[in-house]
Amino acid sequence: MLYTGDDFMIIDFEGEPARPLRERQMKRSPLQDVAGMLRSFHYAAYAAYFAEAGAETLPPRRTLALTGTGGSPSRLRTYLAVAENAVPAPSPDDLRLLLDAHLLEKAVYELGYELNNRPAWVRIPLQGILQTI
């Protein structure tokens, strides 16, 4: 937690220490955290699948639905149900657009990270980008 001078902020919730501190201190949409959580589920599902099936294969959608990423819509609905009294909710179309923007931003960040640190894992954020666009 950081004290900004007039407020307290929790930073680095998404585990992105490469981002400048000033950027991590900015207040942003809670959908950014939701997108980070959904990307984490995506990563876990793909990493497990690739470890089992091998590096050259892409999992069928049914496999991923069973391993965690298929549950994302229900997790999002639960989040929105809890948050609806605290924050005015955007329309469903606007919500999808905002969430997709945060998912794409996160996946592009992950792509840069993997290119620099774990090139063999590049296929995970690439798959996330392809699913979002």
Side-chain angles (χ1 to χ4, degrees), residues 13-14 30-46 64 67-80 95-96 98-104 106-107 110 124 127-128 131-132:
F13 179 75
E14 295 182 350
L31 285 175
Q32 181 181 20
D33 290 334
V34 171
M37 177 187 66
L38 296 176
R39 291 291 311 136
S40 293
F41 293 141
H42 179 257
Y43 245 82
Y46 271 87
L64 291 180
T67 57
T69 59
S72 297
S74 64
R75 289 183 180 100
L76 181 57
R77 279 192 301 277
T78 301
Y79 171 83
L80 292 173
L95 179 67
R96 183 78 242 173
L98 289 167
L99 183 58
D100 283 349
H102 287 299
L103 287 168
L104 188 58
K106 179 73 172 163
E110 294 164 356
I124 298 174
Q127 193 65 20
Q131 289 177 349
T132 303

Side-chain angles (χ1 to χ4, degrees), residues 29-31 79-92 94-95 98:
S29 167
L31 285 175
Y79 171 83
L80 292 173
V82 170
E84 74 181 341
N85 293 328
V87 179
S91 72
D94 289 345
L95 179 67
L98 289 167

Side-chain angles (χ1 to χ4, degrees), residues 20-67:
L21 183 59
R22 176 57 63 202
E23 185 178 328
R24 291 184 291 153
Q25 288 177 317
M26 293 179 356
K27 289 196 179 208
R28 300 191 58 171
S29 167
L31 285 175
Q32 181 181 20
D33 290 334
V34 171
M37 177 187 66
L38 296 176
R39 291 291 311 136
S40 293
F41 293 141
H42 179 257
Y43 245 82
Y46 271 87
Y49 181 84
F50 288 137
E52 286 292 318
E56 286 78 36
T57 60
L58 286 176
R61 287 187 177 267
R62 182 172 176 274
T63 300
L64 291 180
L66 296 174
T67 57

